[in-house]
Amino acid sequence: REVEKMSKSKYNVVNPDDICEEYGADCLRLYEMFLGPLEQSKPWNTQGLSGVYGFLKKFYNLYFDGDEVSISEEAPTKAELKVLHTLIKKELWDLENFSFNTSVSQFMIAVNELQKLKCNKRAILEPLAVLISPYAPHVCEELWSELGHDSSIEFELFPVLIEDYLKESEIEYPVSFNGKMKFKMPFAAETSAQYIEEFVRKDDKVLALLAGSEPKKVIVVPGKIINIVV
């Protein structure tokens, strides 16, 4: 398809005021950044605005139970901390490299995961609002006020990345026979390849699939896969 720049002579100009009136200024900001890398030309399609608008509603609703603000002071779980710090790490890299579109994608992933976890912890949702505030300042400013703060969110420090929260305590290894995955088996992240191989050779599921035959080789790729060559 043909991609043209907006021009009055071509009658293809989109008035941002109309979009702000229907979807809000934050939705327009996010959508423009979500379109793709800054240096590339992108086709304008207002249908994509509804997806970004849906994300903003999901993000906003994390802080509410019905019409009331619902925030817990409980300590966050490992899964919730991992979602938050994965987002911090991604956004730090994206801001340095002006890769705003991938940040917006990561916002959507993080909000979806926190929604599945039914997270309403202050320790997670406050830094989440700070992270998204450069992209959607109006919504985040309102949420910051609803959280009980008198000062502006724009004066808050960027959340600190703690790499320890990104480390896996347990890894689920796919167990394959001649390259075909049969089932998965969990091991602690620090488990050695030698121990995994010894354990797999004695496992009941593995022995049942071997049906009395001896494997030619057991290949263990740490952190990734177990492949039994028959």
Side-chain angles (χ1 to χ4, degrees):
R1 64 188 172 189
E2 187 177 1
V3 179
E4 298 177 322
K5 290 185 178 180
M6 288 185 190
S7 168
K8 289 181 181 178
S9 63
K10 294 177 181 176
Y11 301 100
N12 63 353
V13 175
V14 177
N15 188 341
D17 292 341
D18 296 338
I19 295 173
C20 290
E21 183 68 29
E22 184 174 356
Y23 294 100
D26 283 347
C27 185
L28 176 58
R29 284 166 63 97
L30 278 168
Y31 179 61
E32 287 183 322
M33 287 184 274
F34 187 51
L35 281 172
L38 291 176
E39 69 277 6
Q40 294 180 12
S41 297
K42 285 87 68 175
W44 179 266
N45 184 354
T46 52
Q47 290 179 349
L49 283 162
S50 59
V52 177
Y53 186 66
F55 154 71
L56 280 173
K57 287 197 289 185
K58 274 187 183 180
F59 166 57
Y60 191 85
N61 288 334
L62 283 176
Y63 297 75
F64 288 83
D65 182 6
D67 295 329
E68 299 294 324
V69 175
S70 177
I71 297 294
S72 169
E73 303 297 336
E74 292 178 29
T77 64
K78 287 183 179 179
E80 291 165 344
L81 286 166
K82 184 181 178 184
V83 172
L84 176 66
H85 287 269
T86 298
L87 178 58
I88 294 172
K89 185 173 184 176
K90 180 72 174 123
E91 190 173 348
L92 282 169
W93 190 92
D94 288 342
L95 289 171
E96 289 287 338
N97 293 277
F98 298 98
S99 184
F100 305 127
N101 58 308
T102 53
S103 270
V104 178
S105 296
Q106 193 63 40
F107 293 154
M108 294 175 176
I109 292 168
V111 167
N112 283 337
E113 289 181 350
L114 291 174
Q115 190 180 51
K116 288 177 185 175
L117 293 168
K118 297 182 179 179
C119 176
N120 66 338
K121 314 284 177 58
R122 183 180 292 274
I124 299 295
L125 297 186
E126 280 197 351
L128 178 66
V130 175
L131 289 169
I132 297 180
S133 63
Y135 297 77
H138 303 89
V139 170
C140 293
E141 192 70 59
E142 182 179 337
L143 288 172
W144 196 247
S145 176
E146 292 285 357
L147 290 169
H149 298 282
D150 294 327
S151 59
S152 171
I153 195 171
E154 298 306 316
F155 297 110
E156 289 300 307
L157 295 175
F158 197 87
V160 176
L161 171 64
I162 302 175
E163 293 275 3
D164 287 346
Y165 291 134
L166 303 181
K167 293 178 181 176
E168 294 283 356
S169 59
E170 186 177 86
I171 298 171
E172 203 168 31
Y173 283 81
V175 180
S176 301
F177 283 72
N178 292 334
K180 293 183 179 179
M181 205 272 281
K182 297 296 183 180
F183 57 89
K184 293 184 179 180
M185 191 178 284
F187 288 96
E190 64 275 8
T191 307
S192 68
Q194 183 182 350
Y195 176 86
I196 292 172
E197 181 179 343
E198 291 172 359
F199 185 91
V200 166
R201 286 180 179 272
K202 299 174 184 177
D203 183 73
D204 291 339
K205 286 183 183 178
V206 174
L207 292 173
L209 287 166
L210 288 171
S213 62
E214 279 292 319
K216 294 177 182 176
K217 189 185 292 185
V218 177
I219 302 167
V220 179
V221 181
K224 293 185 178 180
I225 193 171
I226 301 163
N227 187 34
I228 299 168
V229 182
V230 181

